[in-house]
Amino acid sequence: MRLDNEELFKFFQSKDIQVLYHANTTQTSVTYFNQNGLLSRGAVENLGLRQTKQSSDEADKILNVWNDVFLDSTDLHSYFGRQNYYGPILFEFDIELIKDYQYEIWITKNNPIYWNKDTPLEERYFQNIAELNNDWGKYSTQKKMITIRNNTSPILFEYVRRVVVDDPRVKIDDEIRLFNETAKIINENVSDGHILKGKFKIRECVNCWCRDNYLNQVGVIDLKRLFLQ
Ligand SMILES: [Zn+2]
């Protein structure tokens, strides 16, 4: 169910949630940089632009979330002490975004990868602000995805506070420092005068498994898929 934007904004204020987060790969982020905003996977496809394939793509179409943009209310990398599985580039949006009535916002009760086509709407989404108020604490933070539905045009970067990028500090092919390549791609696509210029920050981790995972678990093919174009 669509939630009233102004009421939702007040709800997030009551929970002291100031920022919404969206993580993605470098390749998909470059499309966002060039379009000056986030887009749903369906919108990227319709516009004929590039994005990294995701294993959930086919299911997303069946479950009717293909045209939705997904945001988290928590920085899941910091929260879990590991890399974000959707990619190393994290866009941080000011909560003011919520107030914009052009955005149709629904909040999930679980990640759609756990839905099937028969999952009823009331199990998929919070139904209203009263239910949010009553049950917000009943669901784990990563299950509550703030979705901007039926998105066809860029969710503009005017609300972006900063963009945080992981540096896995790994070399690939024995010589290239992966992050140098990522930084080069970002610089080539975010020129002087771009709304995101000066907003990038390299992530600093404390007690985090991301480096260990990037080094020992992710593998070169996936590192390239996540960090390169
Ligand atoms: Zn980390």
Side-chain angles (χ1 to χ4, degrees):
M1 193 71 82
R2 179 175 185 167
L3 300 165
D4 179 78
N5 298 62
E6 192 68 39
E7 285 182 43
L8 188 56
F9 176 76
K10 286 184 189 145
F11 170 78
F12 280 129
Q13 280 199 313
S14 77
K15 297 292 178 194
D16 201 26
I17 292 167
Q18 306 289 339
V19 176
L20 299 176
Y21 302 86
H22 177 87
N24 222 312
T25 63
T26 299
Q27 184 188 47
T28 304
S29 297
V30 164
T31 289
Y32 297 160
F33 299 154
N34 293 332
Q35 296 299 309
N36 277 312
L38 300 188
L39 286 161
S40 65
R41 301 188 64 71
V44 172
E45 186 179 75
N46 286 340
L47 293 165
L49 304 171
R50 299 180 73 198
Q51 60 190 338
T52 308
K53 278 198 170 29
Q54 288 180 5
S55 56
S56 57
D57 282 349
E58 289 314 308
D60 284 356
K61 291 173 186 173
I62 293 165
L63 296 170
N64 194 24
V65 297
W66 179 242
N67 295 310
D68 303 349
V69 171
F70 285 75
L71 302 163
D72 295 304
S73 61
T74 308
D75 173 0
L76 297 178
H77 184 140
S78 300
Y79 184 77
F80 288 117
R82 50 107 174 124
Q83 79 278 17
N84 193 309
Y85 299 136
Y86 290 100
I89 299 185
L90 185 75
F91 297 88
E92 298 187 349
F93 286 85
D94 193 287
I95 199 71
E96 288 282 324
L97 169 88
I98 291 287
K99 284 203 261 185
D100 193 331
Y101 275 88
Q102 70 172 303
Y103 300 133
E104 177 187 344
I105 301 175
W106 300 41
I107 300 182
T108 68
K109 295 177 171 178
N110 203 351
N111 187 316
I113 59 174
Y114 300 108
W115 300 350
N116 61 53
K117 62 180 177 31
D118 299 321
T119 307
L121 265 188
E122 58 271 22
E123 283 180 31
R124 297 185 185 198
Y125 296 99
F126 287 91
Q127 296 298 292
N128 48 49
I129 296 286
E131 189 187 13
L132 262 187
N133 268 314
N134 288 332
D135 294 348
W136 181 254
K138 281 190 193 168
Y139 300 88
S140 317
T141 189
Q142 75 279 9
K143 294 182 175 176
K144 293 174 287 198
M145 309 177 95
I146 295 99
T147 71
I148 301 178
R149 305 208 63 203
N150 302 309
N151 164 266
T152 54
S153 59
I155 294 165
L156 297 178
F157 285 146
E158 58 189 313
Y159 296 105
V160 168
R161 288 186 177 185
R162 56 180 198 164
V163 184
V164 181
V165 186
D166 292 357
D167 176 0
R169 292 176 289 158
V170 297
K171 286 184 177 176
I172 51 168
D173 302 336
D174 276 341
E175 48 176 334
I176 304 168
R177 186 166 177 253
L178 185 60
F179 184 77
N180 290 0
E181 296 298 304
T182 307
K184 203 163 93 184
I185 293 166
I186 292 171
N187 281 327
E188 283 167 1
N189 287 280
V190 179
S191 50
D192 289 346
H194 192 284
I195 192 164
L196 295 182
K197 195 75 181 175
K199 294 199 170 177
F200 288 82
K201 182 181 179 299
I202 299 173
R203 183 182 288 276
E204 290 164 17
C205 291
V206 184
N207 296 328
C208 186
W209 287 96
C210 67
R211 172 123 207 270
D212 200 55
N213 293 344
Y214 281 136
L215 267 177
N216 300 314
Q217 289 192 356
V218 176
V220 173
I221 289 172
D222 276 331
L223 283 172
K224 287 181 175 174
R225 183 179 65 83
L226 293 167
F227 282 87
L228 303 179
Q229 273 185 294

